[in-house]
């Protein structure tokens, strides 16, 4: 049994979702989960080829799909992605702000532009996504979901830029819950822990190894793409109807265990302890 069989196959039939960064990784998994429960799916991202492959997969699941090349740092490109999606698929019920950029680098080795780049993709991109979809979400009493990261609330070595950006995303999520609640718009975030098969996990496992990550969760394992995507669907359907301003950790207990193992392994790999 797949996780999605927990949901009715027509759960989100006639609903439309737009997923930023939906061409790959966790965001594509979320897009596929929405397709599996009957939603029309808009995706946007920076790479046309990647988006086209993702769109083919989504169509294979029976979804109507609209793929738009858009960098979330460009507000006009995002507005275009929203209006194309609405024209082709109908008004937006859910927006998933998933686009993110990351690299491992200690603070003293990040240039001003490097720091700004991650803030621009993760935080400003989330802001642009919210702003571009506001009218749609207001018209449909929809919901916005941010894909955050453990770095938002735990300090990880060589991830200061990501932590700052994702903490900002969490704050934006809560502000929107307050500001847009009166319009019936819900705003939440999910925080995936180490998830098998993702570019993000591959990057943060370099030098420290995968075992460091599994040992950092209470469940002693990595999560699956399905386990994250199913929560995104649950939050976006009537099951989540009274949930807003919430951060949902889908991390096997990483938030409880902390970042200490990773930090010791990582700092040990790059510099001797004092
Ligand atoms: N260490 C330090 N600085 C880095 C870096 C690294 N590993 N990677 C990028 N930067 C800096 C660059 O040096 C540049 O700053 P500079 O102009 O002062 O030299 C700045 O970040 C912008 O990099 P650039 O590659 O020109 O920007 P971009 O917009 O094309 O891509 C990222 C930015 C973050 C998306 C890019 O690093 C990337 O492709 N990451 C991998 C994909 C990814 O993040 N996937 C998500 C996984 S969660």
């Amino acid at each position: 049994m797949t996780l999605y069989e927990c949901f009715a196959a027509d759960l989100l039939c006639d609903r439309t979702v737009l997923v930023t960064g939906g061409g790959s990784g966790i965001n594509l998994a979320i897009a596929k989960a929405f397709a599996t429960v009957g939603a029309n799916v808009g995706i946007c991202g920076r790479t046309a080829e990647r988006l086209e492959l993702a769109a083919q997969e989504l169509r294979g699941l029976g979804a109507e799909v609209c793929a738009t090349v858009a960098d979330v740092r460009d507000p006009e490109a995002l507005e275009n992605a929203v209006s194309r999606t609405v024209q082709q698929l109908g008004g937006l019920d859910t927006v998933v702000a998933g686009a993110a950029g990351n690299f491992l680098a200690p603070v003293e080795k990040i240039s001003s532009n490097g720091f700004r780049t991650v803030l621009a993709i993760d935080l400003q991109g989330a802001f642009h996504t919210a702003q571009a979809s506001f009218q749609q979400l207001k018209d449909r009493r929809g919901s916005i979901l941010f894909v955050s990261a453990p770095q938002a609330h735990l300090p990880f070595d060589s991830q200061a830029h990501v932590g700052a950006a994702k903490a900002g995303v969490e704050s934006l999520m809560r502000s929107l819950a307050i500001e847009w609640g009166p319009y019936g718009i819900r705003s939440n975030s999910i925080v995936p822990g180490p998830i098998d098969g993702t570019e993000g996990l591959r990057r943060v496992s370099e030098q420290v190894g995968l075992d460091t990550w599994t040992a950092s969760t209470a469940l002693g394992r990595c999560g699956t793409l399905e386990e994250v995507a199913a929560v995104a669907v649950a939050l976006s359907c009537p099951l989540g109807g009274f949930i807003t301003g919430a951060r949902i950790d889908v991390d096997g207990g990483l938030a409880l265990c902390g970042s200490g193992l990773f930090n010791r392994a990582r700092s040990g790999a790059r510099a001797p302890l004092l």
Side-chain angles (χ1 to χ4, degrees):
M1 178 179 179
T2 74
L3 261 183
Y4 306 143
E5 288 174 80
C6 300
F7 301 112
D10 61 352
L11 179 70
L12 296 178
C13 191
D14 298 327
R15 304 290 178 88
T16 298
V17 60
L18 173 63
V19 184
T20 71
S24 63
I26 287 175
N27 301 319
L28 174 56
I30 290 173
K32 284 162 72 173
F34 275 90
T36 305
V37 295
N40 304 318
V41 183
I43 50 174
C44 68
R46 289 202 291 173
T47 317
E49 298 73 31
R50 189 182 284 173
L51 283 177
E52 191 39 49
L53 286 174
Q56 280 171 22
E57 270 198 76
L58 293 165
R59 289 190 187 104
L61 295 168
E64 295 286 319
V65 181
C66 173
T68 309
V69 175
D71 187 320
V72 291
R73 289 170 284 190
D74 176 353
E76 285 176 15
L78 260 180
E79 276 161 26
N80 176 51
V82 168
S83 64
R84 279 189 84 234
T85 306
V86 171
Q87 264 169 19
Q88 291 185 27
L89 305 178
L92 296 184
D93 300 284
T94 298
V95 173
V96 179
N102 192 9
F103 50 79
L104 278 170
V107 168
E108 70 275 16
K109 295 209 172 125
I110 307 174
S111 68
S112 173
N113 187 39
F115 190 83
R116 180 170 55 230
T117 297
V118 171
L119 257 81
I121 298 171
D122 291 21
L123 178 53
Q124 208 171 10
F127 168 76
H128 292 154
T129 303
Q131 212 171 42
S133 45
F134 168 65
Q135 192 58 49
Q136 285 298 316
L137 295 178
K138 184 178 168 206
D139 291 347
R140 313 271 294 185
R141 299 178 75 78
S143 96
I144 185 161
L145 182 64
F146 298 91
V147 181
S148 182
Q151 291 90 328
H153 49 91
L154 290 171
F156 282 85
D157 186 288
S158 303
Q159 290 281 268
H161 43 312
V162 179
K166 292 297 191 181
V169 169
E170 294 284 351
S171 175
L172 176 65
M173 177 276 288
R174 289 190 296 271
S175 297
L176 291 180
I178 292 297
E179 288 194 21
W180 292 359
Y183 301 118
I185 302 172
R186 297 183 298 107
S187 170
N188 295 291
S189 70
I190 52 174
V191 180
I195 304 300
D196 267 333
T198 59
E199 172 66 13
L201 182 60
R202 190 190 66 71
R203 283 178 175 259
V204 295
S205 298
E206 279 169 15
Q207 297 181 335
V208 305
L210 206 53
D211 289 354
T212 301
W213 284 104
T214 54
S216 297
T217 69
L219 294 178
R221 68 172 176 88
C222 292
T224 67
L225 288 166
E226 261 193 358
E227 285 171 324
V228 177
V231 175
V233 168
L235 279 172
S236 306
C237 77
L239 278 173
F242 202 49
I243 300 176
T244 195
R247 180 191 104 195
I248 310 289
D249 296 335
V250 191
D251 69 352
L254 174 73
L256 302 175
C257 298
S259 50
L261 285 179
F262 172 87
N263 291 336
R264 257 174 244 120
R266 170 79 193 163
S267 61
R270 69 181 178 83
L273 290 174
L274 293 176

